[in-house]
Amino acid sequence: MATNCEISSTGSEGGSNETVSSQKREERLRKFRELHFKRNEARKLNHQEVVEEDKRLKLPSNWEAKKARLEWELSEDQKKKECVARGEDYDRVKLLEVTADDAERWERKKKKKNPDTGFAGYAEAQFRQYQRLSKQIRPDMNNYEKQREECGEDFHPTSNSLIHGTHVPTKEGIDRMVEDVEKQIEKRSKYSRRRAHNDDADIDYINERNAKFNQKAERFYGKYTAEIKQNLERGTAV
């Protein structure tokens, strides 16, 4: 009897050990399958990101701005169609969506004095310069009152007034004029001007583009090729 009981207890222990080991094996397999699934998922996501990044790199540099602009235009067209369908004025509906701050900012832009619209002609450029210089003038009211008292009725001349050549500018006024002229000369010196064509220069080009290339080459390598060029012109080159 004792022997049978020992055998049965030993068998039950062996069965329980096998059950525990099989459970542990199943747990390890389950974790392994999860890790395998996560690895495949990460690999798939990485591949998608690489493909998307490659697409973005192949796009133009200003693609995002163009895309935003196109989306805005499509949105505006859709809003216009909706307003037309409802019989409403699109401009009035759009103004209802403008905030007070935006409206004030736009109004300040419209009222901006002397806007730079680019070069349109020498007359317009001269007029803009005149407006800019006029805004820089700061009247001296004390000197104004002093001259008014000295000139008397001739301060507001008529056709019978003889005051030509009687005004003598102050030293401060002359200094301001000289300073302003020097600023204009300095600013003008920074402008890019069209180079004058020299009719006496040697023609070593076939078109305008080739002429510019030759000028650049002469600027960088002229001092090294001067002797070779002279020999070729004299016909004494080896």
Side-chain angles (χ1 to χ4, degrees):
M1 292 291 292
T3 305
N4 293 333
C5 291
E6 291 176 358
I7 294 173
S8 61
S9 62
T10 304
S12 61
E13 288 178 1
S16 61
N17 290 335
E18 291 179 359
T19 304
V20 171
S21 61
S22 62
Q23 290 177 353
K24 289 182 179 180
R25 186 171 59 254
E26 290 293 333
E27 183 68 20
R28 292 194 188 97
L29 291 174
R30 184 180 62 80
K31 289 182 178 180
F32 178 76
R33 284 193 295 267
E34 290 178 357
L35 291 174
H36 186 71
F37 175 77
K38 289 180 180 180
R39 186 189 65 176
N40 291 338
E41 189 70 20
R43 184 183 299 170
K44 186 186 298 183
L45 292 175
N46 288 338
H47 179 71
Q48 292 177 357
E49 288 295 330
V50 170
V51 172
E52 292 296 328
E53 184 178 3
D54 183 64
K55 288 181 180 179
R56 287 194 299 268
L57 292 175
K58 289 180 179 178
L59 292 173
S61 58
N62 59 345
W63 167 250
E64 294 295 334
K66 285 185 176 181
K67 182 180 178 181
R69 178 70 182 180
L70 291 173
E71 290 177 353
W72 178 81
E73 290 180 354
L74 290 174
S75 176
E76 290 294 305
D77 292 339
Q78 184 64 26
K79 290 180 180 178
K80 286 181 181 180
K81 292 179 181 178
E82 292 176 357
C83 291
V84 170
R86 294 195 301 265
E88 297 175 346
D89 187 1
Y90 173 73
D91 294 331
R92 292 178 63 87
V93 174
K94 187 177 180 180
L95 289 175
L96 294 175
E97 300 176 358
V98 178
T99 62
D101 294 336
D102 293 339
E104 186 177 355
R105 185 172 65 254
W106 292 342
E107 195 65 24
R108 284 199 302 268
K109 275 188 179 179
K110 288 181 181 179
K111 290 182 178 180
K112 183 180 178 182
K113 297 180 180 179
N114 198 22
D116 188 2
T117 57
F119 182 80
Y122 291 101
E124 290 81 357
Q126 188 176 12
F127 179 66
R128 288 191 67 253
Q129 184 184 21
Y130 168 76
Q131 286 184 323
R132 180 175 56 80
L133 296 176
S134 299
K135 286 194 300 182
Q136 295 178 1
I137 297 176
R138 298 293 181 266
D140 187 354
M141 300 307 298
N142 295 329
N143 191 22
Y144 172 83
E145 293 295 338
K146 182 180 178 181
Q147 289 185 6
R148 186 174 183 180
E149 292 176 359
E150 292 176 354
C151 296
E153 294 181 356
D154 291 336
F155 187 75
H156 300 288
T158 62
S159 59
N160 299 322
S161 300
L162 297 175
I163 60 172
H164 179 70
T166 59
H167 174 68
V168 179
T170 62
K171 184 178 182 301
E172 292 78 8
I174 295 175
D175 292 339
R176 285 198 305 271
M177 183 191 69
V178 172
E179 183 181 359
D180 184 70
V181 171
E182 289 177 350
K183 286 182 179 179
Q184 293 183 42
I185 294 174
E186 182 182 0
K187 187 175 182 180
R188 196 179 297 116
S189 65
K190 297 179 181 179
Y191 290 161
S192 176
R193 60 182 177 83
R194 185 177 180 85
R195 301 297 187 270
H197 178 68
N198 186 7
D199 294 328
D200 297 331
D202 294 333
I203 300 176
D204 57 354
Y205 54 89
I206 57 176
N207 51 36
E208 188 71 14
R209 184 176 180 181
N210 182 240
K212 292 181 178 178
F213 176 81
N214 292 343
Q215 290 174 0
K216 292 181 180 179
E218 179 67 20
R219 190 183 310 135
F220 292 101
Y221 306 107
K223 60 183 180 181
Y224 305 108
T225 59
E227 185 178 355
I228 299 174
K229 185 183 292 186
Q230 292 173 3
N231 292 337
L232 289 173
E233 290 173 355
R234 290 194 302 265
T236 59
V238 178

